[in-house]
Amino acid sequence: MRTAQHAQLALLLEVAGTPKPGNVDRERDFDDLRFEHFLAGAVGSCDGLDAAAAGEPVGDSFETAVEGMSQQRGGNAQFGALLLLVPLVRAAATWGLTPDDTVAVVEATTVDDAAGFYRAFEHVDVFVDDPPADAEELDVRRGADAIPAVRERGLTLSDVMELSAPEDGVATEWTNGFPRTFAAAETVSEGDGPVPDRVAAAFLELLAAEPDTMVAKQHGAEVAESVRERAAALRDADRDELETFADELVERGVNPGTTADVAAAATFVALERDGVIP
Amino acid sequence: MRTAQHAQLALLLEVAGTPKPGNVDRERDFDDLRFEHFLAGAVGSCDGLDAAAAGEPVGDSFETAVEGMSQQRGGNAQFGALLLLVPLVRAAATWGLTPDDTVAVVEATTVDDAAGFYRAFEHVDVFVDDPPADAEELDVRRGADAIPAVRERGLTLSDVMELSAPEDGVATEWTNGFPRTFAAAETVSEGDGPVPDRVAAAFLELLAAEPDTMVAKQHGAEVAESVRERAAALRDADRDELETFADELVERGVNPGTTADVAAAATFVALERDGVIP
C-alpha cells in the first residue's frame, strides 16, 4: 500500500476501534456525526493525502484533504487528524517517518502553507477557542479573510501552530516532533489481536495520560482532567466498564476528539513505518 | 467525489450497513474475516477502480483492484463486489451509468480482459464451484494457467461470465444489464435515514427475492432457498428479529456474500448516478 493509502486506512481503523470513550466508533454515533461520515471523510481526503505524498505544499495538501473530507453531511469528522497526517505523510514520502524528519517538515513550512491552513477553515466548521485579544485578526474562524494579516506578520504554518499550542493538542504535536503520536504507535504496532482493538487501546492510554484539549475547549479544563482521571482509573477495567464510560461520555456530549486525532496519526505510523497489516 | 471514490465509498457503506444477515457488518465479524479486512480491502482497491475510471482495460483494472484488495490478512473480502463495480465504474466514466451502457461495456470486453480476470485469482482464494466436466481447463482456480485455454477458445470476459451464469449471481448481473443492481439502487436512493441503514434494507430485499448463489455453492440449493424464505418472512419484522437471524447465519457460517456484492454495486449506483451523500 502506498503512503497516502496508509493514511486513509489509518482514518478508517481509528473510527472502527471500539470502545473509544466519547468518540464515534464502530458501536457509537453522535446524533449529527455518524460512523458513515468518517467513512466518507476518509475516502474524500485521499486527493489531499496523495498531494502531500507527491510533494505538493503542505498547506495546499491540507486544504485539499479537508475540502474532500467535508463532502459528507456530518461536518467536521477528521480536521485534526488530517492536520497531523499531512506532515507525517510528507515526512514518510520524502525523508523518513521519524520525529526528526517531521520536525524538518514543520520547519520547512511557509507563509503560503499558513494561508492554505486558513483556507481549509472555509470548507468546514471547526470548534476552536476565541483567540487572544491581540490576535483577533488571526482568528482561524475568519478563514481566508485572515490571510492578509498572516502575510503581513510573515507567519509560517509552523508559527501558526506555535501560537495555538499548548491549548491545542494537535498544534502541540506539530511544535514538538509528534511525541505522543510516535509513542502511541508503539501500542498499535506491538499489541496483540485485531488492529482496531490495538487502536482503541492506544486511544485509552493517550486519554489517561493527558487531558484532551478539545474537551477542555468545549467543557473546561476541569471536565477534561476528570475524563483523564477516569480513563486512568479504568486502565485495567474490563470491557463492560469501558463500554459504560464510552456510553456516558457520548450521552454527555463530551468528545475527546483531539485524542482520537492522535490515535489516527499513531495508527498511520504503525502501518507505514512498522508494516502493521490488518 | 470522483467515480472511483464513489465505488470505494460504496464498499465501505456496504460493510457498515447492519444488520446484513450472514455477512460481516458494523456489528458482526467472522472468525477469520473481520470488519477491518473490508476497510483495508476498500482502500487497497482504489488503484484498480481509478484505472477502470481512466479507461484502462476492464480485465487489467479488475486484476489491479483485486491485487490491492488482497493486501490484508482476511483473504477474499470484496472479489465479487469489485467484479460488479469495475464495469459499472467504466460505464459511468465513459458513457453513462445505465443498464444499456453496462451492456455495452460487457460486450466490448476482450480475450485480454478474460486473461486479466483469470490472473486476479492468483491474488486471493475465491470460493467457486467445480467447473463442468468439459470445461476443466477453464477452471478459474487454475488462475493464469488457464489463460492459454481461454485464448485458444477465443473467450472474451463476457463469454466467461456467460459460462458462469446462472449459477453465479455476479456473472448473471454481467450477462443481463445488472438488473438487480439497478433495482436495489432505488432502495438506497429513495430510502430515509442514514445511508448504511438503506444499504442494509436493499440487502434484505435482495436476499428475500432470490437465493444467494454463494450460499448455494457452499451449502446447497435447499439452504439457499431456506435463507431466502426466511428473509422474505422477515420483511416486516422488527430489528430484534433481524438481529437474531443475522447472528444465527453468522454462527452457522452461512454467508450470502453474492447478495452483499450486489448491495455494494447498488450503493455505487446510488452515490454516482443519484447523488446520494452520506
Side-chain angles (χ1 to χ4, degrees):
Chain A
M1 245 183 225
R2 286 178 283 107
T3 301
Q5 292 178 312
H6 279 152
Q8 198 183 14
L9 181 54
L11 292 171
L12 294 169
L13 292 168
E14 187 282 313
V15 75
T18 186
K20 290 199 321 297
N23 281 272
V24 174
D25 65 19
R26 188 170 168 186
E27 297 185 5
R28 287 169 192 83
D29 297 302
F30 287 108
D31 287 343
D32 298 330
L33 183 60
R34 300 174 51 85
F35 193 73
E36 59 267 28
H37 300 135
F38 287 78
L39 302 181
V43 172
S45 64
C46 72
D47 285 353
L49 295 167
D50 277 336
E56 298 290 316
V58 167
D60 287 349
S61 300
F62 177 67
E63 187 202 352
T64 302
V66 169
E67 184 178 17
M69 176 275 287
S70 308
Q71 293 173 48
Q72 35 77 24
R73 299 189 192 284
N76 178 20
Q78 290 132 329
F79 188 97
L82 290 169
L83 188 52
L84 292 170
L85 284 170
V86 165
L88 292 168
V89 165
R90 166 58 60 81
T94 47
W95 299 297
L97 194 44
T98 69
D100 282 352
D101 291 321
T102 62
V103 169
V105 168
V106 168
E107 287 179 351
T109 61
T110 64
V111 177
D112 281 341
D113 290 323
F117 171 72
Y118 274 86
R119 282 196 306 274
F121 286 88
E122 303 273 332
H123 301 296
V124 66
D125 285 331
V126 180
F127 189 92
V128 291
D129 259 347
D130 290 329
D134 63 343
E136 275 178 19
E137 60 182 1
L138 295 176
D139 188 344
V140 290
R141 291 169 297 194
R142 300 183 65 215
D145 289 344
I147 294 175
V150 171
R151 291 200 185 280
E152 197 181 320
R153 300 192 187 197
L155 298 174
T156 68
L157 183 47
S158 171
D159 295 332
V160 172
M161 291 294 116
E162 275 189 24
L163 290 174
S164 302
E167 286 79 12
D168 185 287
V170 169
T172 306
E173 286 293 282
W174 260 72
T175 58
N176 214 5
F178 295 74
R180 306 185 75 208
T181 297
F182 282 103
E186 304 297 324
T187 302
V188 180
S189 296
E190 291 168 11
D192 292 324
V195 177
D197 291 355
R198 302 189 227 162
V199 176
F203 172 89
L204 287 164
E205 284 181 12
L206 289 161
L207 191 63
E210 288 189 28
D212 186 275
T213 55
M214 168 74 78
V215 173
K217 288 179 197 173
Q218 292 186 320
H219 303 276
E222 274 184 39
V223 172
E225 174 57 18
S226 75
V227 168
R228 188 202 66 72
E229 283 171 14
R230 182 86 176 275
L234 289 171
R235 259 184 232 268
D236 301 314
D238 63 20
R239 177 87 175 216
D240 282 351
E241 289 177 278
L242 284 173
E243 299 283 0
T244 303
F245 181 42
D247 291 339
E248 181 201 311
L249 288 189
V250 169
E251 265 166 45
R252 288 168 57 197
V254 173
N255 171 217
T258 303
T259 305
D261 296 337
V262 177
T267 303
F268 168 69
V269 174
L271 298 173
E272 172 75 15
R273 187 194 63 183
D274 300 339
V276 168
I277 297 174
Chain B
M1 246 183 223
R2 287 177 284 109
T3 300
Q5 292 177 312
H6 279 153
Q8 199 183 15
L9 181 55
L11 292 172
L12 293 169
L13 291 169
E14 188 280 315
V15 75
T18 186
K20 291 199 321 299
N23 280 272
V24 173
D25 64 21
R26 189 171 169 187
E27 298 185 5
R28 286 169 191 84
D29 296 302
F30 287 107
D31 287 341
D32 297 330
L33 182 61
R34 299 176 51 87
F35 193 72
E36 58 268 27
H37 300 134
F38 287 78
L39 302 181
V43 171
S45 64
C46 72
D47 286 352
L49 295 167
D50 278 336
E56 298 290 315
V58 167
D60 287 349
S61 300
F62 176 68
E63 187 202 352
T64 301
V66 169
E67 185 178 16
M69 176 276 287
S70 308
Q71 292 173 50
Q72 33 77 27
R73 299 189 192 281
N76 178 21
Q78 291 132 329
F79 188 97
L82 290 169
L83 188 52
L84 292 170
L85 285 169
V86 165
L88 292 168
V89 165
R90 164 59 60 81
T94 48
W95 299 298
L97 194 44
T98 70
D100 283 353
D101 291 322
T102 60
V103 168
V105 168
V106 168
E107 287 179 352
T109 60
T110 63
V111 175
D112 281 342
D113 290 322
F117 171 73
Y118 274 86
R119 281 196 306 273
F121 286 89
E122 303 272 331
H123 301 296
V124 64
D125 284 332
V126 181
F127 189 93
V128 291
D129 259 347
D130 290 329
D134 63 344
E136 274 177 21
E137 59 182 1
L138 296 175
D139 189 344
V140 291
R141 290 170 297 194
R142 299 184 65 216
D145 289 343
I147 293 175
V150 170
R151 293 201 185 279
E152 197 181 322
R153 298 192 188 195
L155 296 176
T156 68
L157 183 47
S158 171
D159 295 332
V160 171
M161 290 294 116
E162 274 188 27
L163 290 174
S164 302
E167 286 79 11
D168 184 287
V170 170
T172 305
E173 287 294 281
W174 260 72
T175 59
N176 213 4
F178 294 75
R180 305 184 76 209
T181 297
F182 282 102
E186 304 296 323
T187 302
V188 180
S189 296
E190 293 169 9
D192 292 324
V195 177
D197 292 355
R198 302 189 227 161
V199 176
F203 172 90
L204 286 165
E205 284 180 13
L206 288 162
L207 191 63
E210 289 189 27
D212 186 275
T213 54
M214 169 75 79
V215 174
K217 286 178 199 174
Q218 292 187 321
H219 303 276
E222 273 183 40
V223 172
E225 173 58 17
S226 74
V227 168
R228 187 202 67 72
E229 284 171 14
R230 181 87 176 275
L234 289 172
R235 259 183 233 269
D236 301 314
D238 64 21
R239 178 86 176 217
D240 282 351
E241 289 176 278
L242 284 174
E243 300 283 1
T244 302
F245 180 41
D247 291 338
E248 181 200 311
L249 288 189
V250 169
E251 265 167 44
R252 288 168 55 198
V254 173
N255 170 217
T258 303
T259 305
D261 295 337
V262 177
T267 303
F268 168 70
V269 173
L271 299 172
E272 172 75 14
R273 186 194 64 184
D274 300 339
V276 167
I277 297 174

